[in-house]
Amino acid sequence: MASDLGRRSRGLGHNLQEPLEKERLLTSVNSYGSQDGGYHVAQGLQTSQEEVLRRRLKYFFMSPCDKFRAKGRKPYKLVIQVIKILIVTIQLILFGLSNQMVVTFKEENTVAFRHLFLKDYTDGSDDTYAVYTQSDFYDHIYYAVDQFLVLPNETIGRYAYVHALGKNQSALVLCQRYYRKGSIDPANDTFNIDPEVIEDCVGVDLMEPVPSFRDDNAYRNYKNFTLKFHKLINVTIQFKLKAINIQTIINNEIPDCYTFAITITFDNKAHSGQVKVQLDNEAVIKQCKDPSVYGHGEGGNGEALGKDVMSLAL
């Protein structure tokens, strides 16, 4: 009986030692001899390092509020980031308002130019505004040029002329473009066209409403300007005007100076009997030469520069 219990106990101990021996055999050994103590020490160190790394990663990914609860450290970096976001947001809002004023100023001036220089113009008629008779064609040209010459006495806005425009060195240039040769005979179903385009221009100067004759035939009386309807492609009236956008003072900004390049086009390239008329306005913005705002002086520029420097520093 005793011998049977001894054999059973030895068999049970042998069965318990088999997994431990197998684990030791499968574990890499760096040196000869007994490694039991070193194995447990290395495993303990590895567990400790993993715990430290796990705590650091957990703290790193904590929110500022959790970090404050864990260590009582004030989230000053979060406060700095919030301040930077507020400053950038305010700058974006001011920049957007300034750009909105620029776009609005150009659009309002374009509408004003259409009412000033296009005869019988009404809002919303851009797609249907056209002339259909030769007399109306001439009337619209004369109206635009006459309005340009008396602009300071007619307009509510404050505009200035730009002299020496184009090759004619005049304030306004009236040009027609037509084919060198053009003969269209619908009755006989025939036509004869030389596609080479000729440009004929008349310059109108402010000091001399009826320009004198020049050798290059560029300066002539614009009311004696004869259009060649049978081969006409288009007629253009080009001039420039200057203006100042003073509404930017509302945002404590120095006003900008504008130069509007205006082109009125009578498009007859289709020869359909309808000559569409459109006015295009291109604006060039630049800094005024001697800005002066009462009570501000040059402080506006300094204040704006200070805000920009502050935002860059943060």
Side-chain angles (χ1 to χ4, degrees):
M1 186 72 176
S3 61
D4 291 339
L5 290 175
R7 285 195 299 271
R8 290 178 181 177
S9 63
R10 286 194 298 272
L12 180 61
H14 178 73
N15 293 333
L16 291 175
Q17 289 178 356
E18 285 183 356
L20 294 177
E21 292 294 335
K22 184 182 294 185
E23 182 179 357
R24 291 177 182 178
L25 289 174
L26 294 176
T27 304
S28 60
V29 179
N30 296 328
S31 59
Y32 295 101
S34 176
Q35 301 293 327
D36 293 346
Y39 171 76
H40 291 292
V41 172
Q43 188 176 13
L45 291 175
Q46 184 177 2
T47 303
S48 177
Q49 291 176 356
E50 289 178 354
E51 181 66 20
V52 172
L53 181 60
R54 185 182 65 81
R55 289 179 177 273
R56 288 182 178 180
L57 290 175
K58 183 178 180 181
Y59 182 78
F60 180 80
F61 288 104
M62 279 184 178
S63 65
C65 295
D66 293 335
K67 290 181 180 180
F68 179 75
R69 295 191 189 98
K71 292 189 176 182
R73 187 177 181 181
K74 296 180 180 180
Y76 64 93
K77 291 184 179 180
L78 176 63
V79 175
I80 293 176
Q81 295 296 328
V82 172
I83 294 174
K84 290 170 65 176
I85 292 173
L86 289 176
I87 293 176
V88 173
T89 303
I90 293 172
Q91 282 191 327
L92 288 176
I93 293 174
L94 295 177
F95 180 74
L97 292 175
S98 178
N99 280 354
Q100 182 181 5
M101 288 185 179
V102 171
V103 174
T104 302
F105 187 71
K106 179 188 175 183
E107 291 179 350
E108 291 178 353
N109 277 273
T110 301
V111 174
F113 294 150
R114 287 171 180 164
H115 282 278
L116 286 171
F117 301 114
L118 301 182
K119 185 179 180 181
D120 300 329
Y121 175 81
T122 57
D123 291 330
S125 62
D126 297 337
D127 296 333
T128 59
Y129 188 76
V131 294
Y132 300 91
T133 64
Q134 295 184 14
S135 60
D136 285 343
F137 204 136
Y138 282 112
D139 289 342
H140 279 72
I141 293 176
Y142 299 157
Y143 180 85
V145 177
D146 291 339
Q147 285 291 101
F148 173 78
L149 294 175
V150 298
L151 183 64
N153 300 326
E154 293 290 332
T155 180
I156 299 175
R158 182 67 174 173
Y159 299 106
Y161 295 114
V162 178
H163 299 272
L165 178 65
K167 64 180 182 179
N168 295 323
Q169 298 296 307
S170 57
L172 182 145
V173 178
L174 170 63
C175 297
Q176 65 171 328
R177 298 173 68 250
Y178 54 89
Y179 298 114
R180 177 180 290 274
K181 292 181 180 180
S183 176
I184 302 175
D185 188 1
N188 296 323
D189 297 330
T190 60
F191 64 90
N192 182 15
I193 295 178
D194 183 351
E196 183 180 355
V197 177
I198 304 299
E199 185 176 45
D200 185 16
C201 295
V202 169
V204 180
D205 190 73
L206 299 172
M207 302 301 295
E208 191 178 9
V210 182
S212 59
F213 180 77
R214 298 291 182 91
D215 293 337
D216 59 1
N217 202 27
Y219 287 79
R220 288 179 291 153
N221 188 343
Y222 70 93
K223 290 194 175 180
N224 292 331
F225 193 59
T226 302
L227 300 177
K228 299 173 175 57
F229 289 103
H230 61 287
K231 52 184 178 180
L232 182 66
I233 299 174
N234 61 38
V235 174
T236 59
I237 302 174
Q238 296 178 326
F239 55 89
K240 291 183 179 181
L241 295 174
K242 286 186 175 182
I244 300 177
N245 184 10
I246 62 173
Q247 65 177 337
T248 56
I249 297 177
I250 300 174
N251 293 337
N252 294 323
E253 296 181 5
I254 301 299
D256 294 322
C257 291
Y258 289 69
T259 299
F260 297 111
I262 302 165
T263 302
I264 302 174
T265 304
F266 298 82
D267 188 2
N268 188 48
K269 62 177 178 290
H271 284 264
S272 61
Q274 181 189 58
V275 179
K276 294 184 178 180
V277 185
Q278 64 180 15
L279 185 147
D280 297 318
N281 178 27
E282 295 293 334
V284 177
I285 307 172
K286 64 180 180 179
Q287 186 177 2
C288 297
K289 294 181 180 179
D290 297 317
S292 177
V293 180
Y294 180 78
H296 290 76
E298 297 181 355
N301 290 333
E303 183 179 356
L305 180 62
K307 292 179 181 178
D308 294 338
V309 172
M310 184 187 303
S311 62
L312 291 175
L314 291 176

